[in-house]
Amino acid sequence: MTIAFDAATESTAWTTIPDPQLIVHTPTGTPTWALLLIGQAVGATDDIDGTPTYGGVSMPRVMSVGMTTGEPGRVYAFFTNNPPSGLQTVSIPHTASANTKIATIITGTGTGQVVSNGQASSAESASTFAQSKQIRTGSAA
């Protein structure tokens, strides 16, 4: 199986508006997967308060990493297989906060199957272990 990087688009930094944050992304090829990475400064009310979409296709959260005490930040990852081709809008719903957020949408191409495999993130608590996921690409066995 071949997995290849296709294109990436970074958002401008955003704070309270717009909600949802919109990013226009154009793959260069026919994408087989899309990955959305969001980094943000953390405040008490910061969160991605819904499911982002890529061209109307839901992108489930596959990872959420909170920083350790004293580190002001959080990183989210959202992923989908078989996103639509051509110019697409990425929509990211979020809580209104003055803390800066920035996102990067990445598409890739490949042959064979792309698998999203559930595994715990090292930053997750035991109570969220089963809900946390990590991305893995490879052929189905």
Side-chain angles (χ1 to χ4, degrees):
M1 167 175 37
T2 302
I3 298 292
F5 171 78
D6 175 68
T9 304
E10 185 174 272
S11 74
T12 57
W14 81 91
T15 54
T16 56
I17 54 175
D19 183 14
Q21 174 70 21
L22 302 176
I23 305 168
V24 176
H25 175 75
T26 305
T28 58
T30 301
T32 55
W33 54 268
L35 173 66
L36 174 64
L37 299 173
I38 300 171
Q40 69 179 56
V42 175
T45 61
D46 279 350
D47 202 3
I48 306 304
D49 63 350
T51 302
T53 59
Y54 180 93
V57 176
S58 292
M59 299 186 79
R61 185 181 294 185
V62 294
M63 185 183 74
S64 176
V65 178
M67 300 297 112
T68 58
T69 303
E71 295 291 327
R74 183 179 297 134
V75 175
Y76 295 108
F78 298 86
F79 182 82
T80 190
N81 287 315
N82 302 315
S85 297
L87 185 141
Q88 301 297 327
T89 298
V90 179
S91 176
I92 308 166
H94 62 92
T95 55
S97 170
N99 292 298
T100 300
K101 304 162 191 68
I102 196 158
T104 302
I105 182 69
I106 302 165
T107 48
T109 61
T111 58
Q113 190 171 15
V114 178
V115 179
S116 178
N117 184 33
Q119 293 189 10
S121 166
S122 61
E124 296 291 350
S125 67
S127 64
T128 59
F129 179 85
Q131 299 169 15
S132 182
K133 297 180 180 180
Q134 180 180 47
I135 297 169
R136 180 191 75 179
T137 58
S139 297

